[in-house]
Amino acid sequence: MFYDDVKKETPMNEKIISRTAEIMADSDAACLALIDEEGCPTASMVSNIGTEGIERAWFSTGLRSNKVRRIKQDARASICYCDGTNNITLAGTVEVLTDLENKKKYWLDIFCPHFPEGPTDPNYCVLKFSTRRVSLWVDGIEAAFTL
């Protein structure tokens, strides 16, 4: 096991971070956990529409959704990616993006049934997750660290 040591630049540590980022980028979905109005964790599957290393991930949802309501009350969140026996759990914060540039950048045509007006649909928004802490089991290696 190695923990905060993972941030030190060694070939193994760079390799596991790179592999973690690869798993995240290749995932179709992730589990997003938020805090609800009663202070309880709530989890839902979300389509993975973009990642930036292990630092950031993007998802979409409806502006009138429970997710957005919860994020406005408490932006703390966790996301989990799973690939076979690999498990990546990230803790951080989520922002709700409604600007047209990001809505167009992260638009996928599979969203049409939910947002018939496309990226300009007033209910469509993008969720930007920013990682603060990482806990993972990837390729038989366990690690936990902060960014």
Side-chain angles (χ1 to χ4, degrees), residues 3-146:
Y3 290 88
D4 276 316
D5 293 357
V6 79
K7 292 187 290 185
K8 296 177 183 164
E9 294 183 17
T10 67
M12 183 175 77
N13 296 349
E14 289 176 18
K15 182 178 176 184
I16 199 67
I17 289 173
S18 175
R19 176 75 173 115
T20 299
E22 176 185 311
I23 292 167
M24 290 172 57
D26 290 345
S27 293
D28 291 331
C31 184
L32 171 67
L34 301 166
I35 305 299
D36 74 9
E37 300 77 13
E38 297 177 9
C40 295
T42 59
S44 57
M45 296 303 294
V46 288
S47 296
N48 188 42
I49 59 174
T51 59
E52 183 181 295
I54 62 172
E55 293 85 11
R56 276 173 269 308
W58 287 267
F59 311 99
S60 70
T61 194
L63 199 54
R64 296 183 299 269
S65 69
N66 287 332
K67 288 184 223 49
V68 169
R69 191 177 72 248
R70 290 173 181 145
I71 291 164
K72 286 180 178 179
Q73 289 183 356
D74 190 338
R76 294 176 298 166
S78 181
I79 56 175
C80 183
Y81 293 89
C82 185
D83 173 42
T85 61
N86 296 316
N87 183 60
I88 301 158
T89 302
L90 311 174
T93 57
V94 181
E95 294 174 66
V96 178
L97 307 177
T98 57
D99 63 285
L100 191 54
E101 180 180 347
N102 277 301
K103 288 170 67 168
K104 284 183 176 180
K105 180 177 180 179
Y106 294 106
W107 176 259
L108 298 174
D109 287 340
I110 62 168
F111 299 156
C112 285
H114 303 286
F115 310 107
E117 295 177 42
T120 61
D121 192 301
N123 190 39
Y124 168 63
C125 66
V126 175
L127 303 179
K128 177 185 175 185
F129 178 87
S130 297
T131 304
R132 291 191 179 155
R133 287 192 332 253
V134 179
S135 176
L136 60 83
W137 176 268
V138 171
D139 297 340
I141 297 171
E142 182 181 30
F145 54 93
T146 55

